[in-house]
Amino acid sequence: MESLQRVLYVDAYDSFANNIVGLLEIQLKVEVTVVRIDNPTVARDLKAIISSFDAIVVGPGPGHPAIPQDVGFIDQLWQLEDKDIIPIFGICLGFQSLALAFGADVKRMRSPRHGIVSNIVHSGTDIFHGVCAFEATQYHSLYAHIGHSMQSDAPSMGGAWNRSSTCPELQPLAWEVTDKENGPVLMSVKHTGKPFWGVQFHPESICTAEEGHKMIAKWWSAAQTWSTRNGRIASTKTSPPQHILPGTPSYANRDTETTCPLAGLDAALLARLPGNGKGLLWSSHALGITDVVDICEAMGIAEDEIVLLDSQGHQSGRFSIMGLIPHGKTVKFSYTVHDKRLQLAAGGQQAAGICLESIDGIWPLLQMTLDRHAPVTDVVPHVSPFWGGWMGYISYEVGLETLEVSASPASGCHTPDLNFAFIERSIVLDHHEQRVYVQSLSPDDNLWLLETGKLIDSLSGVFHSKSGVFDDDGFNRMYQVLDQAKAEDKLFEGAIRQSYIDRPYSGWYCRKVLQCQEFLAAGDSYELCLTDETKVLIPRTKETSLSPWVIYKKLRKNNPAPFGAYIRLPNTSIVGSSPERFLRWTRDGRCQFRPIKGTVKKTPEVDFAAASEILNSSKERAENLMIVDLIRHDLSGVIGTRSCTVPKLMQIEEYKTVYQLVSVIEGQIPGTSREKASVNETAGGELKASTRGLDVLKASLPPGSMTGAPKKRSCEILAELENRPRGIYSGVVGYLDVGGGGDFSVVIRTATKWDNDYEMRPAKAHTSSTNINDHKIHTDVPNGAIGMERTEKEPALVPHDVWRIGAGGAVTIQSTAEGEFAEMETKLDSVLRTFQV
């Protein structure tokens, strides 16, 4: 079999690199090796290393080509001696670097082009020979000025393909001429004497037409022709040196071996898991009109530790999953980023802890326990998406650690950043088929299964009556529910009237939006997802303390969404109604992302048609497109570009309080649950496994819809601007199933509370006001200092529980500060109005 030709891809820390690598592999049928711009070995031994390759592609990235740390060793490529020259193709930053090296001036655009799709006018020659006119996506804040007549005050297409006196070695090949604000923008050049080409647009984007892919093939043909004429043949004596790869991303020659540094802890974890069997006990029951809330309350577990993933009756949600956490019997697993400490607890035993070098050692432990508990029988409820396994959350800061981005200083309340419980007992409600599945991984749980099944049957019998006539038990239960609701409403009203609301101040938020846009204009990012935090402070007294369960019931009623969550884990309470799925993968390896970018508030004046006009604007579509391309990069890096598709691109979905612009990205993980990779343990604690859904999860954190692109640089900028940890907000909640599946949603439209997090505030006098806005305080400084009204006699200070609500939005160059603040408040109010009577 003939060996593939080799292309070296130079990655400038961009978040679209995998898409380009996949495009090269598919279109050119070549082997691609990826290196980062700051790889010291490549910088030192550049000539020797590139001799093993047939061509080089220099990719996009943040920054300016004149700044050394933004381009690394790229400058050396344009300065190669004739005997070492190799065909090179530059994209975006790579194109700008090429132009700069041969006399161009790289300047800021009047209006940056981020996620903008427009027509490319080309010469029809060279790499565009035989290529039809096409649309392409642009992601750039800078442009190459070559002193061309097209870039003058009186541009004329008549001389568009002439070389300029300023840059005589650069031949223009393409322009963008529809941008009235920026004027004609150079889109492609070739060097007249060297095998160097470049394009400003992104041929790999989902919205770039197929003709852009054809252009890549034309470049490869031109590169091979040059090599043949000049007698250049890539060295076949040795393969590309593997020692250049350690600093490269996971998609480069991905090694499926994962080293586990937790010597002995894997065995300790297995020993603490009480149900170490290979079976699943389960029963199926009619659901009727029984609700997950009814089941929780009837079982008396609503105030206990629990993980509830609730579709909240939303039309696009099918399943609700209750993960039960029996006191003293459940294994819990947590990790904190600030001290890199992992803690493992089971039953009443004291938590065992160990400090890690990084979070990387945790993933194989999670996967190992799932594999050990996978049912070996086919007698299982295949329709149920969760049979048991890990349930919990992963914070935004865990995602930052995977990117090697330093998190903002903690607020003083060090809480788990990764928090999971191993669920043996679970109840799954299938709202489409009207069935309830009661399940246990423990082989000794027949009695619990029987009793729980009877309870659900009784609830279904009590509440299910098509005629509307209840029996005596039904009436008794109905009156109990009504009485309980009245008592909860009275307690809730009293607590809210004495609460404080600290929400972001418009002036401060708008200043941050403008700072974001300065970074965008400088080329450091295409999009920045700026967020802020609101605090609801409720007095911690016997009369006013509010149960998280009561708050959750209010939230799911006021703002139902398909990815609701109620989580009670040690020191942690989460109540959420997220509309956004982050990532789901099925047991047969089919995975899906559903990013949301673009939100319009429902009002009497804004119906679906009006919202559609807004959400189909250039600004909103650009926001969504950037995240789609970013997620394609994340997913392709694990499963390959061939398996990655976009079946739904920028479509509008309707929710109770908002309209949103949604896309769907899907892919197939190699292998299926029937082709389980073996888990081979060695004395050194090394685990080997094939690609799994967990690999996709960890490679995609934090959610791209909450960061911006390029992801790493955007996260660094946001950490500087926000100057606070986001915590659970912007992270993900969900499950890892022993059967091989998983499902996680993005933590938005959510309130969180830590048991040890409180603030001392003056006790309020009882008031007759029922409007939450009468109790709100705006914060006007980054550290959240509060300016409070004072009376002549200061009231006593009392502890207040702190509920935190994050909200924000994607800032683009087309944003307005006022518009971004309004969007943030729209999202915030969908949760905040729950804290209103």
Side-chain angles (χ1 to χ4, degrees):
M1 181 177 177
E2 187 177 350
S3 61
L4 296 175
Q5 291 182 282
R6 301 165 181 157
V7 172
L8 181 68
Y9 180 79
V10 182
D11 177 22
Y13 288 93
D14 192 59
S15 287
F16 305 144
N18 288 336
N19 303 334
I20 299 173
V21 170
L23 177 62
L24 297 174
E25 291 175 338
I26 293 172
Q27 289 293 319
L28 311 183
K29 296 178 173 57
V30 295
E31 175 186 320
V32 181
T33 299
V34 183
V35 294
R36 288 265 170 85
I37 55 172
D38 55 358
N39 189 299
T41 303
V42 178
R44 185 184 66 244
D45 303 326
L46 181 66
K47 294 179 182 179
I49 288 172
I50 66 174
S51 67
S52 300
F53 293 91
D54 297 283
I56 298 173
V57 175
V58 182
H64 193 288
I67 299 176
Q69 59 264 36
D70 291 341
V71 292
F73 64 79
I74 292 175
D75 286 345
Q76 296 183 48
L77 297 173
W78 316 122
Q79 300 166 10
L80 290 169
E81 298 177 9
D82 289 348
K83 63 183 180 64
D84 299 312
I85 276 185
I86 181 173
I88 304 175
F89 186 79
I91 300 173
C92 201
L93 180 67
F95 160 81
Q96 295 166 4
S97 177
L98 164 63
L100 183 69
F102 294 97
D105 188 9
V106 177
K107 301 180 177 182
R108 288 191 182 190
M109 304 184 77
R110 295 188 187 94
S111 178
R113 309 276 285 176
H114 297 154
I116 302 300
V117 182
S118 61
N119 287 313
I120 304 299
V121 177
H122 60 74
S123 64
T125 63
D126 204 270
I127 62 174
F128 292 96
H129 178 67
V131 177
C132 298
F134 65 97
E135 288 189 331
T137 304
Q138 299 170 52
Y139 291 112
H140 60 112
S141 305
L142 312 174
Y143 74 101
H145 194 289
I146 59 174
H148 198 278
S149 61
M150 285 287 288
Q151 297 170 315
S152 67
D153 293 334
S156 171
M157 287 299 297
W161 316 121
N162 297 333
R163 284 178 275 167
S164 70
S165 58
T166 303
C167 302
E169 296 174 288
L170 297 180
Q171 174 67 56
L173 296 177
W175 296 88
E176 204 277 13
V177 296
T178 64
D179 187 347
K180 295 180 180 179
E181 189 166 354
N182 290 300
V185 179
L186 185 64
M187 284 287 118
S188 180
V189 297
K190 66 167 287 187
H191 192 282
T192 56
K194 300 177 187 290
F196 299 159
W197 296 262
V199 294
Q200 178 64 77
F201 59 86
H202 282 242
E204 82 289 350
S205 172
I206 191 65
C207 283
T208 293
E210 288 290 329
E211 291 297 299
H213 301 175
K214 187 176 180 180
M215 179 269 300
I216 290 290
K218 291 287 185 178
W219 162 72
W220 181 239
S221 177
Q224 290 179 301
T225 298
W226 181 91
S227 294
T228 299
R229 289 177 178 172
N230 289 271
R232 187 189 186 280
I233 302 175
S235 174
T236 57
K237 294 181 180 179
T238 59
S239 297
Q242 294 299 303
H243 61 274
I244 69 175
L245 297 174
T248 61
S250 60
Y251 49 80
N253 291 354
R254 185 177 180 274
D255 190 347
T256 57
E257 296 188 7
T258 305
T259 300
C260 174
L262 311 179
L265 196 55
D266 53 351
L269 177 58
L270 290 174
R272 292 177 184 229
L273 288 169
N276 201 17
K278 287 285 188 176
L280 177 71
L281 301 178
W282 63 282
S283 61
S284 175
H285 307 264
L287 176 59
I289 60 172
T290 308
D291 189 78
V292 68
V293 170
D294 302 322
I295 297 176
C296 285
E297 293 184 340
M299 294 181 70
I301 58 174
E303 303 293 346
D304 297 340
E305 290 186 0
I306 186 175
V307 179
L308 169 61
L309 305 178
D310 181 7
S311 60
Q312 298 184 337
H314 194 276
Q315 60 185 6
S316 62
R318 175 174 179 177
F319 296 101
S320 293
I321 301 173
M322 296 169 54
L324 310 186
I325 306 177
H327 180 67
K329 295 182 179 180
T330 304
V331 172
K332 299 162 193 173
F333 191 94
S334 66
Y335 173 81
T336 48
V337 167
H338 84 280
D339 59 1
K340 293 180 169 47
R341 184 171 181 80
L342 180 150
Q343 285 196 305
L344 175 66
Q349 301 178 29
Q350 185 175 359
I354 183 172
C355 289
L356 310 180
E357 290 186 5
S358 76
I359 197 172
D360 290 340
I362 287 179
W363 311 114
L365 281 176
L366 293 173
Q367 188 65 61
M368 174 190 63
T369 54
L370 296 171
D371 292 339
R372 293 294 179 86
H373 288 76
V376 295
T377 175
D378 281 335
V379 186
V380 291
H382 292 286
V383 70
S384 173
F386 180 75
W387 297 333
W390 296 108
M391 296 184 78
Y393 68 82
I394 302 171
S395 78
Y396 176 78
E397 278 66 37
V398 165
L400 294 186
E401 184 176 341
T402 65
L403 295 176
E404 299 182 347
V405 173
S406 298
S408 297
S411 60
C413 182
H414 296 305
T415 52
D417 289 290
L418 182 148
N419 205 351
F420 281 104
F422 191 85
I423 302 299
E424 291 193 283
R425 294 176 175 176
S426 59
I427 300 174
V428 176
L429 284 68
D430 183 345
H431 301 286
H432 286 189
E433 299 298 328
Q434 290 293 292
R435 302 299 299 175
V436 181
Y437 298 95
V438 181
Q439 308 166 137
S440 177
L441 292 174
S442 175
D444 304 320
D445 244 354
N446 284 290
L447 180 59
W448 174 82
L449 204 75
L450 179 63
E451 291 177 344
T452 304
K454 286 181 178 179
L455 174 63
I456 290 173
D457 288 339
S458 70
L459 288 173
S460 180
V462 166
F463 288 112
H464 184 50
S465 176
K466 293 182 180 178
S467 65
V469 179
F470 286 107
D471 56 21
D472 290 342
D473 288 340
F475 276 114
N476 290 335
R477 175 61 180 157
M478 180 181 68
Y479 287 131
Q480 290 174 7
V481 170
L482 291 174
D483 288 343
Q484 179 181 339
K486 289 179 181 178
E488 289 175 352
D489 286 345
K490 184 177 181 180
L491 176 64
F492 188 84
E493 181 178 333
I496 292 302
R497 284 177 173 169
Q498 298 182 59
S499 67
Y500 291 92
I501 309 294
D502 299 350
R503 59 194 300 167
Y505 177 64
S506 60
W508 181 81
Y509 195 85
C510 289
R511 287 196 295 273
K512 294 300 180 183
V513 171
L514 297 177
Q515 288 178 280
C516 284
Q517 291 183 313
E518 178 59 28
F519 282 109
L520 299 177
D524 288 314
S525 178
Y526 314 131
E527 174 179 60
L528 290 166
C529 297
L530 181 68
T531 73
D532 209 329
E533 182 180 86
T534 292
K535 295 189 293 185
V536 179
L537 297 99
I538 301 174
R540 185 185 286 186
T541 66
K542 184 178 180 180
E543 293 77 19
T544 59
S545 289
L546 277 184
S547 157
W549 179 246
V550 172
I551 296 173
Y552 177 68
K553 288 194 294 182
K554 293 281 186 183
L555 177 62
R556 78 189 295 273
K557 179 181 179 181
N558 291 337
N559 191 50
F563 305 106
Y566 172 71
I567 298 177
R568 288 283 294 134
L569 287 170
N571 192 38
T572 306
S573 298
I574 303 172
V575 297
S577 58
S578 174
E580 181 174 354
R581 166 172 280 139
F582 173 53
L583 166 65
R584 179 189 67 178
W585 64 94
T586 60
R587 295 184 182 111
D588 60 1
R590 192 69 186 167
C591 53
Q592 180 191 83
F593 292 83
R594 294 187 84 257
I596 291 175
K597 271 289 163 239
T599 302
V600 175
K601 185 177 182 179
K602 272 187 175 181
T603 68
E605 296 77 27
V606 179
D607 58 9
F608 188 88
S612 297
E613 184 176 352
I614 297 170
L615 291 173
N616 280 312
S617 67
S618 172
K619 172 188 177 297
E620 302 296 341
R621 292 181 66 84
E623 281 186 29
N624 198 287
L625 171 58
M626 284 185 264
I627 301 307
V628 170
D629 279 341
L630 186 156
I631 291 175
R632 290 174 56 234
H633 159 87
D634 287 342
L635 181 57
S636 297
V638 181
I639 69 170
T641 304
R642 293 179 187 274
S643 299
C644 183
T645 61
V646 183
K648 183 174 182 177
L649 182 63
M650 293 183 275
Q651 295 187 17
I652 298 169
E653 292 184 352
E654 182 176 354
Y655 294 85
K656 187 169 183 178
T657 60
V658 295
Y659 298 99
Q660 307 214 262
L661 197 62
V662 180
S663 293
V664 174
I665 302 95
E666 294 182 342
Q668 179 64 50
I669 301 171
T672 69
S673 61
R674 299 300 177 196
E675 301 167 1
K676 292 283 188 185
S678 61
V679 179
N680 302 312
E681 297 176 80
T682 68
E686 193 175 82
L687 305 177
K688 298 181 180 180
S690 66
T691 302
R692 315 294 283 275
L694 191 57
D695 294 302
V696 179
L697 175 66
K698 67 183 182 182
S700 305
L701 295 170
S705 61
M706 304 305 296
T707 63
K711 186 183 281 188
K712 180 179 172 65
R713 182 67 184 114
S714 295
C715 287
E716 291 170 343
I717 293 168
L718 291 167
E720 176 185 337
L721 291 177
E722 295 180 359
N723 194 33
R724 75 175 204 287
R726 292 189 184 179
I728 298 173
Y729 171 67
S730 298
V732 298
V733 299
Y735 66 79
L736 301 166
D737 169 46
V738 294
D743 199 350
F744 287 83
S745 62
V746 181
V747 182
I748 54 177
R749 319 296 193 272
T750 296
T752 61
K753 182 179 76 71
W754 312 113
D755 293 349
N756 61 351
D757 185 16
Y758 67 93
E759 291 185 13
M760 301 299 293
R761 291 290 180 90
K764 283 189 175 182
H766 288 277
T767 172
S768 60
S769 171
T770 60
N771 189 338
I772 194 170
N773 293 313
D774 293 340
H775 307 285
K776 67 185 180 183
I777 299 170
H778 286 87
T779 61
D780 191 18
V781 289
N783 63 10
I786 308 299
M788 296 189 297
E789 296 180 5
R790 299 297 184 187
T791 60
E792 293 182 5
K793 183 178 180 181
E794 292 286 348
L797 296 177
V798 297
H800 285 64
D801 285 324
V802 181
W803 283 91
R804 300 176 185 272
I805 307 169
V811 178
T812 71
I813 206 66
Q814 300 182 70
S815 297
T816 64
E818 295 77 13
E820 290 301 324
F821 182 74
E823 180 177 337
M824 183 274 292
E825 289 221 309
T826 293
K827 296 171 180 176
L828 169 62
D829 287 344
S830 66
V831 180
L832 196 55
R833 65 195 187 97
T834 293
F835 295 88
Q836 185 175 9
V837 292

